[in-house]
Amino acid sequence: MVDIETTGLRWKTDRIVELAVVRTDSEGRVLAELSTLVNPERNPGATHIHGLGAEDLTGAPRFSEVLSELVRHLEGAVLVGHNVKFDLAFLAEELGRLGHEMPGAPRVCTRELAMRVLPALGDYRLASCCKALGVDGGHEHRALDDARAAAGVFARLSASGFWRTSYDRELDEATRLVWPVVEGPSRLAARGEGAASAEPSPLGVVVESLPEGASNGSVEGYHALLDEILEDRRVTDEEAAAARQFLLGAGLARADVLSAHRSYLTGVARAALALDLGGGLGAADLARVARLLGLPTEAVDEALATARSGAAAPSPGATRPLPAGTSICFSGEGEPSKAALEARAVAAGLRVQPSVTKKLDVLVIDDPHSMTAKSQKARQYGIRVLTVPVFLSLAKAPDKQ
């Protein structure tokens, strides 16, 4: 079973950001699994779908570094996937960039099988097929979960006999196929193991440096500082140093700040829920903020639960609004589309600009680690930079500001 996540839909120009292989026997029993992030050597593209930002892929292996292990898992196998033509087209393109040719391995598409076995289903997305067949779909648009889901769907559909009749012939063809010889060790990195993800958060380091216990100090001013530091979803060493100076000056201890960080994350979760960003965009943003605050991954679920309970929490960005008349520009190709974001800005009374100049007030980027010309120029000019979720939470109609 093969599954990939990509920067977009065009295999000629887009790149792979994650791939997974689940090798099974004819009964669907798992024999081996491979899962790794892949550095696309460009912006990650459809982050709202696959949930991977540039910082997740920084330091991830390039396709050339995972190829030998990938070939080892694919050799001698019939290639199965949900809309498998899509996955194999990207793999062929990546192989071609390295001077290799993709073998014409026998392949089976679980989507096409489902259309034969379940003609009345109508919706043949992987998640829908899983639901119809009682297969655990896992987390959608995560390569390993999708590959496992496809394996489950394939096992259920194979029981109908549509493909098992030709199993011996196709397997024999697969075992005789010659794959490219790729020498050298592989380097793999699963989700959460990218270089940026593994590095300690500068704010987390600050928290660990504070005195243990709690104090009677107020964190109110600290929430305002977090608004300023986190609105571009990056924390520089200089910003972390400023936070440490503030916290020490306020006499705050480690427990105070950890509580403030959890409360702030709850506020971010509440904003995401209010904007209906609980899926890809909101989930990725919450995970990013938790990481920047030095909180464990389980803090995200806790923040969502607390936000749903209606508990009090700060409103992120409340101290740094977007007044009517603010000039604003957008960079990136994610979702929501640039056109939709510009329409939102106009409705909020903001002045949309086509380019970044020294007179611009705000630039909105679709990825905190964006390296577009606009984002580089904005940081060079000292222009305020927001990520899309922050912009959406701040862009309100003039009569609601």
Side-chain angles (χ1 to χ4, degrees), residues 28-49:
R29 290 184 289 265
V30 176
L31 304 175
E33 291 185 337
L34 166 69
S35 175
T36 184
L37 299 176
V38 179
N39 188 338
E41 302 178 76
R42 50 158 287 181
N43 274 356
T47 297
H48 63 290
I49 295 177

Side-chain angles (χ1 to χ4, degrees), residues 232-250:
D232 66 348
R233 297 305 191 244
R234 294 176 65 177
V235 180
T236 65
D237 290 340
E238 293 76 15
E239 289 171 331
R244 186 173 190 277
Q245 184 176 2
F246 176 92
L247 295 170
L248 291 175

